[in-house]
Amino acid sequence: MLVDTKAKVGVFSIALGAYLPQFPQLVPEFEGQYAAFKKTIPDSVELIDGGMVTTKEQAMAAGDKFRAADVDLVFLQMLTYATSYNVLPAVRDLDVPVVIVNVQKKKAPDYANTDIPTWLGTLYACGATGEAVADLERAGKRHAMITGVVEGGDPQVQAEIDDWCRAAQVRRRFRDTNLAQIGRPYPGMMDLYIDETNLYNRMFVYTKQFDWEKMWCIADDVTDEAAIRAKAEDILDTFEIEGGGTVEKVWDMARYVVAFEKWVKDEKIGLVASHYDGFAKGVAGKLDSMLIPAFSMLIKQGTACAVEGDIKVAMAMSILKTIAGTGQLSEMYSIDFNEDICIIGHSGSGDAAISTAHKPTMKIVPVFHGKAGGGYLTQFYPPTGDVTYLAITQDKDGHFKFITAEGVNQPGPIFTFGDTNMRTKFSCGAREFVNRWSEAGPTHHMAAAIGRHIGTIQKVAEILNIPCEVITR
């Protein structure tokens, strides 16, 4: 990604202090289990080690570490039974979910040969899970459970841990990067209007405002011909250009992409929402004509870029790009009642990573429908198979909500006028899907990703502490 972030994940384990002097062999046993558990946390996150906790004071020390690091998530490994005073002091001052990991060392007891320390040390991780959740609930803390086994391996446990870490990465990305708003939303699209202060307070996303007058001259100082040539070749590798593409043909576009990449790094931009509604002449016209492929090159490198000034869909695109690797701008286009499918797509910038069915294409059009000017239009070709949609909306009090659905892209004809579009079948049928999706109150935009990701989206919602409405899966 152009602007890299790494989630911070707090990890600690608990055991009952009273057991340890009674059965000293439990100390190395628990230390070994905790060390092994920490190795299951993926390298994609930064591990904040709270240690093995057996007293309230140790729990408080772990909490100090977590708070100082501003962790995005906490994993709590249950080693054996432990009183809940080992839990609450570590998380009391945090506003992130606590994932209780109840992973038993042995798959099953050897009943006839199990003594008390063997039971306490290898078979009793589940002893206090209910107690821990009860106290987390009373303290108003968000929580989740993972149950499994160490012996023989447990892919389901590892998948859940990895999934939570991917979800935590969204919170860190929202906290550590900025959203660039260039211009303002498309006039009259009141569903897109937003209070940027409320956005920061509720979703951690800070908005930097940029005027188009500043963006027109963004490439004026770009003179490194080697860098421009390399970027031009990157553009040609990314797009199949109608009528053939050459370095010379995309030279100015490449200059702007080089300039935008520097701007993204300098300003720590993780998301962009832009709309230009001027006369599109001179320098303004040149930039406007090539914004779509230029922003597509930023999306390719992890910076979500949404058209029509839609901040909320920029966030949805960023979430899907972070957790799924693809994040494509979309909206409802048409319904094919004969085949019971929804045609979903959008014009404008897109994600090359989603275009696995065909290399992205680029062509020049005389007019952008509904917008000023004309220029380069790009089309992306998502594959058949599973697809996930995500929209972010707000209620009358400014609270945010996720709306999500899974479907299956079908083979068959698509529109060929230059817009990305997909033929998606939903388990509830096209008619019912449109009713349910619309009744949930999304903006008219949504983001799309290859694969099924509702489970991870729900974890992101839990981490951000916002509701998530599932339409169909």
Side-chain angles (χ1 to χ4, degrees), residues 113-305:
N113 299 301
T114 297
D115 57 14
I116 287 177
T118 302
W119 166 60
L120 293 177
T122 62
L123 294 162
Y124 197 26
C126 61
T129 54
E131 177 178 338
V133 170
D135 284 330
L136 289 170
E137 186 69 22
R138 290 172 68 190
K141 302 299 177 185
R142 305 191 297 284
H143 49 78
M145 280 286 305
I146 298 175
T147 293
V149 65
V150 174
E151 184 180 9
D154 196 328
Q156 184 175 336
V157 168
Q158 189 61 58
E160 282 289 304
I161 290 171
D162 292 346
D163 213 27
W164 275 108
C165 288
R166 274 192 296 273
Q169 180 69 2
V170 172
R171 181 181 186 271
R172 181 52 46 186
R173 188 156 181 79
F174 280 9
R175 290 177 79 88
D176 281 4
T177 65
N178 302 302
L179 184 146
Q181 185 177 47
I182 314 175
R184 50 161 173 72
Y186 191 102
M189 289 182 179
M190 296 177 70
D191 59 320
L192 309 188
Y193 297 173
I194 197 167
D195 175 348
E196 290 86 4
T197 304
N198 180 54
L199 174 66
Y200 180 70
N201 287 334
R202 296 184 188 272
M203 295 281 278
F204 313 113
V205 178
Y206 180 74
T207 305
K208 287 190 170 185
Q209 307 283 352
F210 293 90
D211 189 272
W212 279 112
E213 203 167 65
K214 181 180 288 186
M215 306 310 293
W216 293 336
C217 61
I218 194 170
D220 287 358
D221 296 330
V222 177
T223 58
D224 185 342
E225 293 201 357
I228 297 170
R229 183 171 296 278
K231 189 54 58 180
E233 291 170 352
D234 188 14
I235 292 169
L236 295 177
D237 287 341
T238 303
F239 291 99
E240 180 181 295
I241 300 175
E242 186 177 73
T246 64
V247 167
E248 291 71 27
K249 182 181 287 189
V250 299
W251 187 265
D252 283 342
M253 185 187 300
R255 283 182 68 241
Y256 275 108
V257 174
V258 171
F260 275 125
E261 288 177 354
K262 182 178 185 305
W263 169 70
V264 163
K265 290 179 180 178
D266 289 347
E267 302 285 353
K268 291 198 72 175
I269 301 297
L271 311 90
V272 177
S274 69
H275 178 66
Y276 178 69
D277 197 37
F279 294 105
K281 294 180 180 179
V283 177
K286 178 183 286 189
L287 176 56
D288 184 57
S289 71
M290 58 186 63
L291 271 178
I292 288 173
F295 280 157
S296 296
M297 296 301 292
L298 294 187
I299 296 172
K300 181 181 177 182
Q301 300 175 79
T303 295
C305 298

Side-chain angles (χ1 to χ4, degrees), residues 353-375:
I354 207 169
S355 192
T356 61
H358 189 284
K359 187 175 181 179
T361 55
M362 185 194 309
K363 66 179 180 180
I364 296 177
V365 294
V367 62
F368 296 135
H369 63 271
K371 302 174 180 69

